[in-house]
Amino acid sequence: MAPPAHFLLEPPRPLTLPQRRLLWITVAVIMTTRFYALAPTLWDLDEAQFAAGVREFNVGEHQPHPPGFPLFILAAKIVRPFVADEFRACQTVTLLAACALFPLAFSLARELRFSFWTSYLGALLFVFFPNVWFYGGTAFSDIAGTAAVLAAAWLLFRGCRDARFYFAGAVVLGIAAGIRGQALLFGLAPLAVSSWFQLRSSWRRVVGAALILAAIIGASYIGAALSSASVSGYQRSVEGTQGWVRNVASVFARGGPRLPGVMADYLLRPMSGGRLPLVVCTLAIIGLLAGAIHRQGGVWLAVATFLPFALFGCFMLDPYSVHRYATSYLFLWALLAAYAAELLSKLLGRGSLLGRGSLIAQVVLMLLITARCIHWTIPAIREVRATDSPTHAAMQWLRARVPAHQLVWIHGSLIPFARYELADRDARRANDL
């Protein structure tokens, strides 16, 4: 039985010249906001591990933490000669990905046959969600993984009618999985749909795409193991992290948060921002229900692409890091909200003075929500821009006041920061005493 995606066999309607100009202007403006979000110092333990991994890759010592995010680290190593340090290298990769989010999200929405304005407004809201904007200025791998996922989904859906894009989508999906292994959850639906259509023309294409995908993923993680100090150390580190996730950082951990609360965070409050989640999620639910009633294939394909990871996160990811993990799937919420705004505006416009102004109503509603996101997020970004992180400040204090030859004892929780910021000092774990 064919999937409900035959509309993918025809290209979307071409953009008009004013639409293309609007897109270019918007991309330029968004890029400036991504630069504004750049943090001057690293704040999080994972950032320190990523930066240390660029300097000396060794997953066995959590440089970075398992499974190693090999292609993110590789990209940062390529950037490293052109920036000041390893932290900036990771941050630059994230920045480039953050700048690409809007055009990639817009292109994916258009490929799923959402209208120009729904695609535009959904992508705009997505990139200004507080956590998406904020983490775009950090050294985490999440934003880079999200950009790769959006690109892979767009290429694969376009690959339903063009074998070149089909193979390109398989390559980019492999890259996305090499950045973050969970990216495969995003690629299952796009890959299945495009493979179904390509299978009718040539089974060799499908086999070839599968081999390409497997080769990139295999090379990435086998390379990560071989590049670490030892393969056995890599394996022990991965197994230890699996046990930590199961016993400490998931809903299965004894004494941890209960599943209903975690699901509420991952599904109803994933973008943070005060009362903002209530408004966005209400609109997203309306958009989902409307898509089901109208049998809108684009809605179902979008849900099949992004929802699996959100559900996976409820059970298997850290319940205290929801807002960072959610950056990977929040485009679904933004797109459904924009779709709902379109339908509600048209409904209100029927038989009323609003008439053709229903488009204006959709634009105004979505811009108001986006403006609220911007207003809510700017104070947090301003604080990070103006203040060194406490851990960075502590390490700089040590450098300024402790002689270079003197032994420094560091609490175990700060060891990742010390490995990066005090790499030239004799810093030892105080817990070992």
Side-chain angles (χ1 to χ4, degrees):
M1 183 178 179
H6 284 287
F7 60 88
L8 293 173
L9 294 177
E10 297 294 331
R13 182 180 303 175
L15 298 175
T16 65
L17 180 59
Q19 288 172 342
R20 291 197 297 269
R21 287 175 175 172
L22 176 62
L23 287 174
W24 280 111
I25 293 171
T26 305
V27 168
V29 171
I30 289 173
M31 287 179 66
T32 63
T33 66
R34 304 307 104 165
F35 280 93
Y36 179 73
L38 290 176
T41 61
L42 58 84
W43 285 71
D44 191 272
L45 179 145
D46 284 0
E47 291 181 287
Q49 291 177 333
F50 282 127
V54 174
R55 180 181 293 162
E56 183 181 356
F57 188 85
N58 185 9
V59 177
E61 293 293 332
H62 283 234
Q63 294 181 196
H65 61 281
F69 310 86
L71 296 189
F72 177 75
I73 297 297
L74 176 60
K77 283 181 175 290
I78 293 172
V79 171
R80 174 62 185 91
F82 307 99
V83 295
D85 53 43
E86 292 79 10
F87 164 65
R88 291 296 184 189
C90 294
Q91 192 180 48
T92 299
V93 175
T94 298
L95 171 66
L96 295 174
C99 292
L101 288 182
F102 174 80
L104 289 172
F106 172 82
S107 299
L108 175 57
R110 285 273 296 164
E111 191 61 43
L112 295 177
R113 299 308 185 273
F114 289 92
S115 69
F116 170 83
W117 283 106
T118 294
S119 302
Y120 176 88
L121 295 169
L124 188 68
L125 175 60
F126 168 60
V127 298
F128 281 108
F129 274 143
N131 42 345
V132 175
W133 190 8
F134 181 88
Y135 284 113
T138 66
F140 290 104
S141 65
D142 300 76
I143 297 298
T146 300
V149 161
L150 291 170
W154 169 58
L155 290 168
L156 286 169
F157 283 132
R158 186 166 180 177
C160 291
R161 60 183 182 275
D162 190 325
R164 295 171 301 174
F165 285 90
Y166 176 62
F167 286 117
V171 170
V172 176
L173 180 59
I175 293 172
I179 295 173
R180 298 183 66 82
Q182 302 97 327
L184 285 177
L185 290 171
F186 296 96
L188 290 177
L191 183 63
V193 171
S194 57
S195 295
W196 192 93
F197 285 109
Q198 288 297 331
L199 188 62
R200 298 189 302 175
S201 300
S202 171
W203 63 267
R204 290 182 177 85
R205 292 178 188 170
V206 177
V207 173
L211 291 175
I212 290 172
L213 178 62
I216 294 174
I217 296 173
S220 298
Y221 290 99
I222 292 173
L226 295 175
S227 298
S228 297
S230 69
V231 174
S232 59
Y234 178 90
Q235 184 177 0
R236 285 194 301 271
S237 183
V238 171
E239 292 172 350
T241 298
Q242 291 173 341
W244 179 81
V245 169
R246 182 174 58 252
N247 300 320
V248 178
S250 73
V251 295
F252 300 108
R254 181 177 299 177
R258 296 191 177 276
L259 182 59
V262 173
M263 293 191 73
D265 288 337
Y266 270 96
L267 302 179
L268 300 179
R269 299 185 293 268
M271 68 289 295
S272 72
R275 298 184 183 89
L276 175 69
L278 178 62
V279 175
V280 174
C281 288
T282 299
L283 285 173
I285 291 171
I286 293 172
L288 177 62
L289 294 176
I293 294 171
H294 297 151
R295 298 183 179 180
Q296 218 275 19
V299 169
W300 289 115
L301 290 177
V303 170
T305 300
F306 293 98
L307 190 59
F309 180 82
L311 296 176
F312 170 81
C314 294
F315 293 92
M316 297 303 299
L317 296 180
D318 186 355
Y320 302 106
S321 300
V322 173
H323 296 143
R324 180 159 65 87
Y325 292 129
T327 57
S328 299
Y329 61 82
L330 270 179
F331 178 53
L332 175 64
W333 272 244
L335 184 60
L336 291 178
Y339 179 60
E342 176 188 358
L343 297 180
L344 291 173
S345 299
K346 289 180 178 178
L347 183 63
L348 293 174
R350 290 178 183 174
S352 70
L353 295 177
L354 192 60
R356 293 186 177 180
S358 59
L359 172 60
I360 298 177
Q362 179 196 14
V363 172
V364 169
L365 174 59
M366 293 302 296
L367 289 182
L368 285 174
I369 297 174
T370 304
R372 174 57 182 151
C373 290
I374 294 172
H375 177 75
W376 196 90
T377 311
I378 283 178
I381 293 178
R382 186 185 297 127
E383 178 68 18
V384 169
R385 285 174 58 87
T387 309
D388 287 344
S389 70
T391 48
H392 175 79
M395 300 300 164
Q396 296 308 306
W397 185 92
L398 280 170
R399 281 193 170 282
R401 291 167 174 78
V402 178
H405 64 274
Q406 185 171 329
L407 176 64
V408 178
W409 293 101
I410 304 291
H411 189 271
S413 62
L414 296 177
I415 285 296
F417 296 98
R419 281 178 176 166
Y420 176 64
E421 303 234 34
L422 301 177
D424 58 336
R425 299 293 188 97
D426 187 5
R428 302 182 188 179
R429 187 189 302 265
N431 307 53
D432 293 339
L433 287 175

